[in-house]
Amino acid sequence: MAKSLTQEFVKGLWAEVPPFRLVLGLCPTLAVTKSIENGIGMGIATTFVLVGSNVLVSALRKLIPSKVRIACYIVIIATFVTVVELVMQAYAYPLFLKLGIFIPLIVVNCIVLGRAEAFASKNGVFRSMLDGLGIGLGFTLALMALAAVRELLGTGALTFWVTPIQIFGPSYQPFKFMVEAPGAFVALGLMLCLMNLVGKK
Amino acid sequence: MREMIKMVIVLTILSCFSGGVLAYLRNSTQDRIDNQVLEFVKGPAVRTIFEGAGNNPIADRFTIKDGDIQRTFFVGIFEGEPRGVAFETSGKGYGGDVGLMVGIDVKDNKLIGVGVTTHAETPGMGARAKSEPGFVAQFKEMSLEKPFKVAQDGGSINAISGATITSRAVSAAATDAEEIYQKLKPQITEDLKKFNK
């Protein structure tokens, strides 16, 4: 069971990458991956909340009575989410407009509560921080990968920050389906399939 | 019993602490957030209305208390003279309130132009009031004497086809703006003098 510190961090990047391996946190995964920019924004916001709540939950794990632990976790997580929401409104308002309701919805994201309950409440502060960072980064990369596929096929361009960069040139006919809601399911299904194929070897 | 008390105490302390942190953050980001909202939600409409103005109309603004409502007025300076004010009103649309930014030329007592800010109208129908500049362009330079009405109601505004309710909402908001302007005119002229260079 005892893993090295590096392993705690790295597991979030591949073995336990949330949307593909644990198939958790699909609501933001499906909804915001219309462009890479949204994916990065959502990923960073979630990572911040994950690291913050993991550290605090693990620091307070001996003080929190087990009967009200979920309520305590939710208070901690909600606080960090509101911090993200305010900071994003103040410094990245256009991104906030695009992500909209999905920022406050990080509170009910299974990944965040799941890590608090399954990991941070049983492990030390530093380990919990690494775990949060790893899972968060894995989530961000997963969102980016999914968003890249959808945006590239759906619009023929990639948006890293504000302005789209044309990749396929003007002769490409955009496959609009991919940036709409059903395209998210198809793309996610294909990604899951690919991950399983690669993992088999 | 002891466990019960501990639960209450822990939850109370945690909630108080997080409340405190958030209140502090809220206070310290309030101004910045207000500015960002003005810039990105109302900014585009204000800038289109005050095209060619020699100042930054988002930064030059003042507020007037109108009953219980705090109204924000954006100032447009043309040829060194602060003669334009823009403020927001709203009318009942098909999917809720349609927010309208109305720019008024204080000197000639006429409209400079209008622009839709926030709305929840149907895409492709009522939403065209915002996405197609042709509709709001009809309001340019209109005089304030008559209430604004769409053609069906005996006015001179050509409604967006298929979106009469939205067109009426915009006209009603513009009429509303005219009334507010007449009511607050003394204060507006007073406040505008501060922007004279």
Side-chain angles (χ1 to χ4, degrees):
Chain A
M1 193 53 204
K3 283 180 181 164
S4 75
L5 292 175
T6 346
Q7 276 173 317
E8 295 294 6
F9 176 71
V10 171
K11 72 169 190 283
L13 300 183
W14 182 254
E16 289 182 27
V17 54
F20 298 149
R21 279 301 154 95
L22 309 177
V23 200
L24 280 181
L26 289 189
C27 171
T29 307
L30 293 170
V32 305
T33 51
K34 278 181 192 159
S35 72
I36 292 196
E37 184 189 15
N38 290 2
I40 298 174
M42 188 71 203
I44 291 174
T46 313
T47 308
F48 173 78
V49 175
L50 253 172
V51 173
S53 67
N54 260 11
V55 166
L56 214 57
V57 164
S58 109
L60 298 174
R61 70 188 187 279
K62 298 215 170 72
L63 290 173
I64 294 175
S66 66
K67 277 185 185 160
V68 287
R69 63 176 196 286
I70 301 292
C72 292
Y73 298 164
I74 292 290
V75 170
I76 292 172
I77 296 168
T79 307
F80 279 105
V81 171
T82 316
V83 169
V84 168
E85 200 186 347
L86 287 173
V87 170
M88 198 179 262
Q89 275 187 57
Y91 294 96
Y93 199 78
L95 189 64
F96 176 78
L97 285 181
K98 279 191 209 157
L99 297 177
I101 187 68
F102 292 101
I103 292 296
L105 276 181
I106 299 176
V107 178
V108 289
N109 193 322
C110 288
I111 305 168
V112 184
L113 190 58
R115 291 330 283 180
E117 168 80 8
F119 194 92
S121 62
K122 301 184 185 97
N123 288 283
V125 174
F126 189 62
R127 247 167 215 279
S128 303
M129 193 192 85
L130 282 181
D131 174 78
L133 213 56
I135 297 276
L137 207 61
F139 184 64
T140 310
L141 290 176
L143 287 188
M144 279 175 71
L146 193 61
V149 172
R150 290 183 63 194
E151 199 186 1
L152 195 58
L153 294 176
T155 64
L158 291 175
T159 319
F160 288 99
W161 187 249
V162 188
T163 37
I165 303 161
Q166 293 297 328
I167 303 286
F168 285 161
S171 64
Y172 178 70
Q173 281 291 320
F175 184 27
K176 265 269 167 71
F177 172 75
M178 291 308 282
V179 282
E180 278 156 24
F185 286 93
V186 174
L188 181 69
L190 291 174
M191 295 282 267
L192 280 173
C193 166
L194 205 69
M195 287 286 282
N196 281 340
L197 273 181
V198 176
K200 252 186 181 173
K201 279 171 200 166
Chain B
M1 194 57 198
R2 274 202 59 190
E3 202 197 347
M4 180 84 164
I5 294 170
K6 194 188 170 196
M7 289 198 292
V8 173
I9 290 177
V10 169
L11 260 180
T12 311
I13 293 176
L14 205 58
S15 308
C16 290
F17 180 71
S18 86
V21 169
L22 291 183
Y24 171 75
L25 197 69
R26 170 98 195 138
N27 276 339
S28 47
T29 52
Q30 183 80 63
D31 285 348
R32 243 200 105 87
I33 292 176
D34 287 349
N35 273 332
Q36 296 264 312
V37 173
L38 289 178
E39 184 65 43
F40 288 100
V41 178
K42 310 197 195 313
V46 176
R47 282 189 208 284
T48 328
I49 291 168
F50 287 151
E51 218 183 339
N55 65 328
N56 175 6
I58 309 292
D60 291 338
R61 59 175 193 263
F62 58 90
T63 52
I64 293 177
K65 250 195 140 82
D66 175 18
D68 298 334
I69 318 159
Q70 195 72 296
R71 288 188 193 281
T72 305
F73 293 82
F74 300 94
V75 181
I77 299 177
F78 295 94
E79 284 144 17
E81 206 180 349
R83 56 189 291 177
V85 285
F87 57 101
E88 199 177 17
T89 55
S90 67
K92 278 260 171 294
Y94 190 71
D97 281 349
V98 177
L100 189 73
M101 188 59 70
V102 183
I104 292 174
D105 188 326
V106 192
K107 207 174 167 202
D108 298 348
N109 270 321
K110 60 177 189 186
L111 277 188
I112 299 174
V114 302
V116 176
T117 49
T118 49
H119 70 85
E121 303 302 288
T122 323
M125 308 275 273
R128 277 156 56 204
K130 183 171 186 173
S131 56
E132 286 175 17
F135 173 68
V136 286
Q138 297 180 70
F139 287 88
K140 257 185 199 161
E141 313 270 312
M142 276 179 87
S143 103
L144 290 174
E145 254 117 69
K146 287 184 288 181
F148 304 99
K149 278 181 175 166
V150 290
Q152 284 99 317
D153 301 338
S156 58
I157 305 292
N158 290 320
I160 303 166
S161 60
T164 316
I165 294 177
T166 312
S167 313
R168 278 192 185 128
V170 172
S171 312
T175 312
D176 211 27
E178 189 265 324
E179 279 163 18
I180 294 167
Y181 169 66
Q182 300 296 6
K183 192 170 68 177
L184 299 177
K185 197 173 175 187
Q187 269 171 288
I188 294 175
T189 15
E190 197 56 39
D191 275 306
L192 273 181
K193 279 185 192 148
K194 290 180 208 152
F195 294 92
N196 253 327
K197 275 173 194 154

